[in-house]
Amino acid sequence: TKIELAALSTHHNGNLGGIAGADAKCQAEATSNGKSGNWKAFLSASGYNVKEMIPSNMRDLPVYALGGNQMFSNWNDIFDGSHTWSNSGHTGGMMPTFNGQVVDEGYGFTNDADAWTGTKTDGNVLSGETCNDWTSTSHQGSGTEADARQMLLQETGRGCGTQYAVFCVQVN
């Protein structure tokens, strides 16, 4: 049993239809690419911290990138403060997508291999940085994004109309 991470194959603005809509996007793309199991978006929102999306009895499981390369020794290591991974098996250590590419400009992502998270480095929601809980493209709000190259968590707040990747997670 392990935890797997992947990214949606196309970028999205901050209106993902809420957490439920983002989860549905992850599940639909995983299913359409032959990946089994229950996939959910790696996003925080009001009252929802990404670090808690994995049940506590499974947080000791290793974390792998889709395709088999280990990224973290366990779920909790993502939130230990260093938030970098070892994923040298993929192009430049980039996050793999469900369709076999990686999150990078060369593969159709327009914003420097970045992804929405709404999450601080400790795995908790970054209040006010979730594009109104992933339901808005308004530039009044912003969403925290992270580099898809060896970082999963807080990097910079961005306008919610910006297009970024969305990471997905599954336990199998």
Side-chain angles (χ1 to χ4, degrees):
T1 304
K2 63 183 176 183
I3 298 167
E4 273 189 299
L5 287 167
L8 295 177
S9 301
T10 59
H11 53 218
H12 297 269
N13 62 38
N15 185 352
L16 298 165
I19 292 288
D23 287 349
K25 290 176 189 339
C26 288
Q27 188 63 55
E29 190 161 326
T31 300
S32 72
N33 282 281
K35 308 303 177 200
S36 61
N38 186 20
W39 289 85
K40 295 185 174 249
F42 187 92
L43 295 171
S44 290
S46 298
Y48 183 79
N49 299 312
V50 78
K51 72 178 182 179
E52 296 165 357
M53 70 186 301
I54 299 295
S56 59
N57 66 331
M58 301 180 112
R59 293 180 188 160
D60 288 334
L61 295 174
V63 179
Y64 287 82
L66 188 66
N69 295 308
Q70 187 170 345
M71 299 169 73
F72 298 95
S73 60
N74 62 62
W75 181 253
N76 292 324
D77 279 359
I78 297 172
F79 314 107
D80 72 359
S82 66
H83 61 274
T84 60
W85 77 66
S86 170
N87 190 21
S88 59
H90 287 282
T91 305
M94 305 299 280
M95 180 68 76
T97 60
F98 284 110
N99 69 355
Q101 301 297 321
V102 293
V103 178
D104 193 23
E105 297 91 89
Y107 296 98
F109 291 85
T110 57
N111 280 300
D112 188 34
D114 293 329
W116 295 116
T117 67
T119 305
K120 297 187 287 188
T121 56
D122 65 2
N124 291 309
V125 64
L126 184 58
S127 184
E129 297 283 334
T130 64
C131 299
N132 196 30
D133 291 337
W134 310 110
T135 62
S136 175
T137 59
S138 169
H139 288 278
Q140 299 297 317
S142 62
T144 304
E145 54 88 6
D147 196 62
R149 185 180 13 246
Q150 299 178 332
M151 288 178 66
L152 292 179
L153 305 170
Q154 178 183 345
E155 186 178 35
T156 308
R158 297 287 186 216
C160 298
T162 310
Q163 301 279 323
Y164 286 123
V166 176
F167 296 152
C168 305
V169 64
Q170 186 235 16
V171 177
N172 64 15

